[in-house]
Amino acid sequence: MTVKGTLFDFSGTLLRIEPTEAWLRAVLDEEGLSVPPDDFVRYARQLEAAGALPGGAAPQRVPAHLAELWATRDVSAERHRAAYTGLARQVALPDARLYDALYDRHMTPAAWLPYPDAAEVLGELRRRGVGVAVVSNIGWDLRPVFRAHGLDAWVNAYVLSYEHGIQKPDPRLFGTACEALGLDPRDVLMVGDDRRADGGAAELGCAVHFVDHLPAGERPSGLRPVLRLVG
C-alpha cells in the first residue's frame, strides 16, 4: 500500500485536553469564585467520574435520561453541549454558572496541549506531499485550537461530525475526508486512539493505526511510527 493521505483524530491523538483539576481551577478563577481546598478536590473527583470534561475520562455511568443524548452527542453542537453539561449537572457545584462555563472552557486553545511530536509529524507528512485531514467526533469548531498551537498550516481539511450530522464509526465521515483530499480510501491511513470509532475507516478500505490516549507528557513520540508507515 502506498499512503497518499492521512486522516487524524483530534482528541487523544494530536492534542490532549488539560487535566480535570486544571480545567476546574481555570473556570473558578475566571468566574472569581473560591472554594475550600477539600471541596475543590471533591468537585474535581466527581466531575471526572461523571465524564463531564470532553476529551477527558469517560463517564463511569451515564444516567438513563441522558443515554440517548450521549449516544448521539457528536451529531450537533446543541446535543454535544447538552450531553456534557447534563453530565456535569450530576455534581452539585456551588454556582449554577459553572456548568456552561466549564463547557465553554474546554473549547478554548488554552485547554488543549499538542502531543510533543504532533507538529513534527504533520510537518513531515506535508513535506513528503502526503495529504492531511482531521476527522473528529466533536460538537464545536476546533480550527482555532489548531491555529493557536501552530498546527493549522499542516492540515489540508477538517471533517467534523457536527458539521455533517454524522459521527464515527459511520464510514461516511471518513469517506467525506478522503474526498476532501481527493484520494481513494485504499490510499489513505487513519490514525486514532479509539478502536471502535476510528476503526470505522477500515470499512472503506483505509489502513488504520492506533495510538494510546495518554496525557501529552506521557506520550512524547507516539505519532512518529506514522512516518514509517507512510514510507
Side-chain angles (χ1 to χ4, degrees):
M1 173 184 178
T2 300
V3 175
K4 299 178 181 178
T6 50
L7 312 181
F8 285 89
D9 174 52
F10 165 52
S11 174
T13 299
L14 291 174
L15 295 96
R16 173 66 186 248
I17 193 67
E18 64 190 340
T20 303
E21 294 82 1
W23 173 59
L24 177 59
R25 175 59 63 199
V27 172
L28 289 171
D29 290 347
E30 288 164 6
E31 296 296 321
L33 297 173
S34 179
V35 299
D38 288 349
D39 288 348
F40 176 84
V41 171
R42 175 167 52 85
Y43 294 144
R45 185 184 305 119
Q46 291 175 342
L47 287 166
E48 181 147 350
L53 174 57
Q60 292 183 4
R61 183 186 68 86
V62 177
H65 72 282
L66 293 176
E68 191 276 333
L69 184 64
W70 176 254
T72 57
R73 64 193 179 278
D74 296 311
V75 300
S76 75
E78 296 75 17
R79 295 185 74 80
H80 196 269
R81 178 182 285 270
Y84 281 102
T85 56
L87 291 174
R89 285 188 172 91
Q90 296 181 92
V91 181
L93 296 175
D95 191 307
R97 293 175 297 167
L98 290 173
Y99 300 108
D100 278 308
L102 285 166
Y103 183 85
D104 292 341
R105 164 71 186 184
H106 103 276
M107 295 187 289
T108 65
W112 294 90
L113 183 66
Y115 282 95
D117 56 348
E120 169 196 341
V121 170
L122 294 180
E124 178 62 18
L125 290 172
R126 287 295 300 275
R127 188 190 70 78
R128 297 183 190 183
V130 177
V132 173
V134 174
V135 186
S136 179
N137 276 353
I138 199 166
W140 50 276
D141 186 4
L142 52 71
R143 295 172 183 87
V145 174
F146 276 72
R147 289 196 291 270
H149 288 289
L151 301 178
D152 181 67
W154 315 123
V155 180
N156 300 99
Y158 296 90
V159 178
L160 311 181
S161 62
Y162 84 102
E163 293 182 338
H164 297 273
I166 305 167
Q167 63 185 36
K168 298 182 288 187
D170 191 319
R172 290 177 294 171
L173 201 64
F174 303 105
T176 298
C178 291
E179 290 172 10
L181 295 179
L183 295 173
D184 187 302
R186 292 170 293 185
D187 296 325
V188 173
L189 172 68
M190 172 67 204
V191 183
D193 67 295
D194 187 318
R195 279 168 167 71
R196 177 180 176 275
D198 299 318
E203 288 192 39
L204 292 180
C206 296
V208 182
H209 174 71
F210 296 108
V211 295
D212 294 324
H213 188 140
L214 294 170
E218 296 178 21
R219 208 194 75 195
S221 57
L223 291 167
R224 288 182 186 142
V226 171
L227 298 177
R228 294 196 297 272
L229 294 171
V230 169

